[in-house]
């Protein structure tokens, strides 16, 4: 296996890990206005996200950094062709980060409402925009041989792109409801479990719809039909979807969240494997697509990066495991009395 292919696999895995980890944060923020009945419950939701959200976004930086260093031409065209949605994503993430720190600075319902709104928008919009962006990548973006986009933001808001956006919003909302159920007790826990149960059939329907649209409107299944062994990815995704429901009904909430993580990760990998060896397929002409061959860095650069990744990625993983283990206990009313609590 050549270095370009290794980095393509790592590129897909890093995005999948980011969706899994920041997905539950996005999900909790997205359901907050419709779930939390009072300020105390909002604080429980904030504290269910609080110790994790900034660490989770390290994976976004890592995935973006890998795109920049391993596939610089893809990075340049991506941030040019998808400039508007990516800038909206950036501003939404900034608002979300600020909301965590500013919400409690002034004891005023109006002040808190402003930052609650920012947290909701900073959670819902990234979920939607990431879904729209990656669905369009899976479908193919209308870029020419010079990497220039033939279209605008409305071009990206096509039926398949919007279906991807809705899918990501539902995946993350369901993922977030399960994490909230794991991190809460009493009435909040029970309602979070119930919400996950209500979201599951809707999510299952959208997953099926997205697969049908992928088969009819994209070339994602080409690699799978050529190499049927790859259908294992879809089988694992289906198993994850079914097990989230089974484990939730059995009261095994953490296991249900883990199955949801498998579902999100394999959903992302389904698309990445489907477009291989392209990173940005062109819907105008396959010859205009940005692939491993025409957009990767030099072999020396890829080799040095691989060495760096083998040293530092395990450090990030170790930190993530430590964080989750340290703050794995449920959030209770007593926890809200600490000065460090949101």
């Amino acid at each position: 296996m050549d270095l370009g292919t290794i980095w393509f696999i790592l590129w897909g895995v890093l995005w999948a890990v980011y969706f899994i980890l920041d997905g539950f944060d996005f999900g909790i923020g997205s359901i907050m206005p419709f779930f939390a009945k009072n300020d105390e419950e909002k604080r429980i939701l904030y504290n269910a996200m609080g110790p994790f959200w900034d660490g989770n976004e390290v994976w976004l930086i890592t995935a973006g950094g890998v795109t920049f260093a391993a596939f610089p031409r893809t990075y340049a065209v991506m941030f040019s062709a998808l400039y508007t949605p990516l800038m909206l994503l950036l501003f939404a993430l900034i608002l979300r980060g600020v909301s965590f720190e500013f919400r409690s600075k002034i004891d005023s319902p109006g002040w808190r409402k402003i930052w609650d709104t920012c947290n909701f928008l900073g959670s819902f919009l990234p979920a939607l925009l990431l879904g729209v962006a990656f669905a369009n990548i899976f479908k193919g973006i209308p870029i020419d041989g010079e990497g220039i986009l033939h279209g605008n933001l409305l071009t990206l808001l096509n039926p398949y792109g919007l279906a991807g956006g809705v899918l990501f919003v539902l995946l993350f909302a369901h993922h977030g409801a399960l994490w909230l159920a794991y991190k809460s007790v009493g009435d909040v826990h029970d309602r979070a479990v119930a919400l996950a149960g209500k979201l599951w059939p809707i999510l299952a329907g959208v997953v099926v719809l997205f697969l049908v649209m992928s088969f009819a409107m994209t070339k994602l299944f080409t690699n799978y039909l050529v190499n049927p062994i790859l259908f294992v990815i879809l089988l694992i995704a289906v198993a994850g979807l079914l097990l989230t429901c089974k484990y939730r009904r059995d009261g095994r909430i953490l296991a249900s969240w883990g199955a949801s993580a498998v579902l999100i990760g394999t959903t992302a990998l389904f698309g990445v494997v489907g477009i291989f060896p392209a990173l940005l397929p062109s819907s105008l002409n396959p010859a205009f697509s940005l692939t491993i061959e025409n957009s990767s860095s030099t072999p020396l650069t890829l080799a040095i990066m691989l060495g760096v990744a083998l040293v530092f990625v395990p450090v990030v993983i170790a930190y993530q495991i430590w964080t989750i283990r340290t703050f794995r206990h449920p959030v209770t009313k007593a926890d809200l009395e600490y000065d460090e609590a949101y």
Side-chain angles (χ1 to χ4, degrees):
M1 186 181 298
D2 62 272
L3 286 170
T5 301
I6 292 173
W7 274 107
F8 181 92
I9 295 171
L10 289 174
W11 177 74
V13 169
L14 288 172
W15 280 112
V17 171
Y18 171 65
F19 294 151
I20 290 170
L21 293 177
D22 222 14
F24 74 78
D25 289 339
F26 290 150
I28 293 176
S30 297
I31 66 176
M32 185 185 299
F34 317 103
F35 182 90
K37 295 180 178 179
N38 50 50
D39 189 66
E40 181 179 277
E41 290 191 355
K42 289 179 181 177
R43 292 188 65 204
I44 291 175
L45 267 65
Y46 273 100
N47 282 276
M49 299 181 280
F52 312 103
W53 71 271
D54 48 356
N56 293 342
E57 291 196 353
V58 169
W59 294 95
L60 174 62
I61 299 171
T62 305
V66 164
T67 309
F68 171 76
F71 307 103
R73 190 178 173 208
T74 296
Y75 181 90
V77 174
M78 180 184 293
F79 275 81
S80 174
L82 302 176
Y83 181 82
T84 301
L86 288 176
M87 289 304 295
L88 289 173
L89 171 65
L90 176 62
F91 289 136
L93 290 175
I94 291 173
L95 278 178
R96 175 169 169 264
V98 173
S99 71
F100 280 100
E101 304 302 328
F102 276 31
R103 183 183 190 272
S104 62
K105 297 303 181 185
I106 297 178
D107 187 12
S108 164
W111 175 265
R112 289 193 292 269
K113 185 175 181 180
I114 290 173
W115 296 112
D116 288 341
T117 302
C118 289
N119 191 278
F120 165 71
L121 293 175
S123 300
F124 173 78
L125 285 178
L128 180 67
L129 291 169
L130 286 167
V132 170
F134 272 84
N136 274 280
I137 291 174
F138 297 160
K139 178 177 180 290
I141 299 176
I143 52 175
D144 61 22
E146 296 181 354
I148 298 174
L149 177 69
H150 288 248
N152 50 40
L153 180 61
L154 295 179
T155 305
L156 303 177
L157 299 178
N158 53 73
Y160 186 73
L162 291 174
V166 172
L167 175 63
F168 270 49
V169 169
L170 287 171
L171 280 170
F172 294 165
H174 177 258
H175 200 48
L178 289 171
W179 182 258
L180 178 60
Y182 171 66
K183 287 287 291 178
S184 59
V185 296
D187 182 59
V188 173
H189 167 85
D190 295 340
R191 284 165 40 220
V193 173
L195 177 58
K198 293 176 182 177
L199 289 172
W200 188 88
I202 303 173
L203 171 60
V206 173
V207 167
V208 173
L209 175 63
F210 188 75
L211 285 174
V212 171
M213 294 179 71
S214 297
F215 185 81
M217 303 174 68
T218 75
K219 298 180 181 179
L220 286 181
F221 280 89
T222 301
N223 285 341
Y224 291 85
L225 295 174
V226 173
N227 300 285
I229 188 66
L230 295 176
F231 277 104
V232 170
I233 297 173
L234 279 179
L235 291 177
I236 294 174
V238 171
L241 177 63
L242 296 176
L243 287 174
T244 57
C245 183
K246 180 183 185 303
Y247 289 147
R248 173 177 46 78
R249 289 177 175 176
D250 293 345
R252 300 171 60 187
I253 301 303
L254 185 58
S256 181
W257 182 86
S260 175
V262 170
L263 170 61
I264 293 173
T266 48
T267 298
L269 292 178
F270 157 71
V272 171
V273 170
I275 63 175
F276 178 85
L279 291 99
L280 279 184
S282 172
S283 59
L284 299 180
N285 187 333
F288 298 155
S289 299
L290 296 178
T291 66
I292 297 173
E293 183 178 355
N294 65 20
S295 69
S296 62
S297 295
T298 64
L300 178 60
T301 300
L302 296 178
I304 293 174
M305 285 176 54
L306 185 60
V308 172
L310 291 175
V311 173
F312 287 102
V313 169
V315 174
V316 176
I317 294 173
Y319 160 76
Q320 205 86 45
I321 293 173
W322 176 85
T323 303
I324 292 173
R325 284 182 58 83
T326 302
F327 298 100
R328 66 184 180 275
H329 63 279
V331 179
T332 63
K333 293 181 181 180
D335 293 312
L336 303 183
E337 298 176 1
Y338 290 118
D339 292 337
E340 295 82 3
Y342 287 96

